[in-house]
Amino acid sequence: MYDNPYGILHIYYLSGRLAPEPEDFGGAYLGNWEEDDTSFLFFSRPAPESVDALLAAQPHLSLIDTFQMSYDQWQGGAIEPQAIAGVVLQPPWVDPPPASAPDAVVLKLDPGLVFGNGTHPTTADCIRALKAAFSRKPAPETILDLGTGTGVLALAAAGLGGRRILAVDLNPLATRTAHRNIAINELSDRVLVVRGRAETFIETSADLLVANIHFAVLQEVMASTGFDRKRQVVLSGLLRSEARTVENELLRRDFRIRQVWRRDGTWCTIHATSGAKPPL
């Protein structure tokens, strides 16, 4: 165990994307979260000189604002062990919970600066859906995880029995975080993390597709022929109206909806199996 390494975050909100990211930003630099055409630079202590030097070297960037907050504030609450459907997500710096069930899958998860620690309803329900997917026969052996974030669902899939998992995310900070989590769980022989667009990787052969991603991206993924070749799918990140659209499209594509999780009257997660093969 070790102490929470993040403490107080000093955040610099920039217009534009770094091109490239400086090789040496100093020991206080924690990472860069890119969102659309903006960047959030995270430091463990104030770093105005480093940011000024970056702006001078890359004039297409401009400073929008600066923030200071605790790590827990950034994550929306304290990062604590989460037990979900027999899967325990264990922050490395927190003492483990009282003895888990003998068959519990215990995974170390350091979310870093990326969201995906198990507290969001879509993440938790995806784990529940994964448990349902692995309870079917034959259980999936190959898994494609689109929008992996911290790698939490790829880790859960490996813990539940997946033998080969491809975890994809477009955000470089997310892929670095997922790489670290795969390594600390010693699962690098079963989980491969790559950076790229979900639409590019949907043609990858896999028994099970997991996609907790934006609705617009999911629509592009579902439009591909590779989507129809998945025996099972877990789709999430969906608001109610979006979920209805996805359910109708699944039925049109000859999928059988096995279960829908609806949380807080807002978020939905869908588990479905392909009708192209005999029911499992």
Side-chain angles (χ1 to χ4, degrees):
M1 295 300 155
Y2 55 93
D3 294 334
N4 180 338
Y6 301 105
I8 299 299
L9 300 176
H10 300 268
I11 307 169
Y12 295 81
Y13 177 29
L14 307 181
S15 173
R17 293 191 172 206
L18 279 63
E21 186 171 334
E23 294 183 5
D24 184 10
F25 233 165
Y29 180 58
L30 299 173
N32 169 30
W33 177 263
E34 295 179 344
E35 188 77 28
D36 297 324
D37 193 35
T38 61
S39 302
F40 294 83
L41 306 184
F42 293 85
F43 295 83
S44 60
R45 58 179 181 268
E49 296 86 359
S50 295
V51 174
D52 287 345
L54 173 68
L55 297 176
Q58 300 190 27
H60 69 284
L61 300 173
S62 61
L63 180 64
I64 298 174
D65 207 345
T66 60
F67 307 94
Q68 178 179 312
M69 64 182 71
S70 71
Y71 180 69
D72 290 347
Q73 285 176 308
W74 171 252
Q75 284 287 351
I79 305 299
E80 299 175 340
Q82 303 285 326
I84 306 163
V87 175
V88 178
L89 305 178
Q90 176 64 50
W93 59 82
V94 178
D95 289 335
S100 304
D103 59 347
V105 175
V106 181
L107 300 166
K108 298 173 185 175
L109 184 72
D110 179 353
L113 303 167
V114 179
F115 301 109
N117 55 49
T119 58
H120 195 278
T122 61
T123 307
D125 284 341
C126 278
I127 293 175
R128 296 183 178 97
L130 281 172
K131 191 71 175 286
F134 276 91
S135 71
R136 304 189 67 80
K137 303 299 181 186
E141 294 189 357
T142 55
I143 297 92
L144 175 63
D145 175 21
L146 299 180
T148 196
T150 61
V152 57
L153 299 180
L155 287 169
L160 290 168
R163 298 183 63 181
R164 290 189 290 118
I165 299 103
L166 179 63
V168 180
D169 206 292
L170 183 59
N171 189 287
L173 184 57
T175 55
R176 286 199 294 270
T177 302
H179 270 295
R180 184 170 66 249
N181 281 316
I182 301 309
I184 63 176
N185 284 279
E186 299 181 352
L187 287 170
S188 299
D189 60 332
R190 293 163 61 193
V191 184
L192 175 65
V193 180
V194 298
R195 183 185 176 195
R197 294 185 176 277
E199 307 94 309
T200 302
F201 285 88
I202 184 57
E203 300 297 333
T204 304
S205 177
D207 300 327
L208 170 63
L209 166 67
V210 184
N212 186 2
I213 53 180
H214 292 299
F215 178 55
V217 179
L218 181 59
Q219 286 182 302
E220 293 191 44
V221 165
M222 293 184 69
S224 70
T225 56
F227 183 88
D228 291 324
R229 292 196 293 269
K230 306 299 185 282
R231 288 199 294 113
Q232 299 193 66
V233 297
V234 172
L235 311 176
S236 193
L238 301 168
L239 300 173
R240 283 182 300 175
S241 59
E242 297 169 345
R244 286 193 292 269
T245 299
V246 170
E247 288 179 70
N248 289 335
E249 180 63 12
L250 285 169
L251 294 173
R252 189 186 72 80
R253 301 277 282 274
D254 202 25
F255 277 79
R256 181 175 178 181
I257 296 172
R258 296 292 177 174
Q259 189 169 351
V260 181
W261 289 261
R262 307 182 195 277
R263 301 293 170 184
D264 306 327
T266 303
W267 296 106
C268 299
T269 298
I270 300 169
H271 173 216
T273 53
S274 173
K277 293 180 173 60
L280 299 178

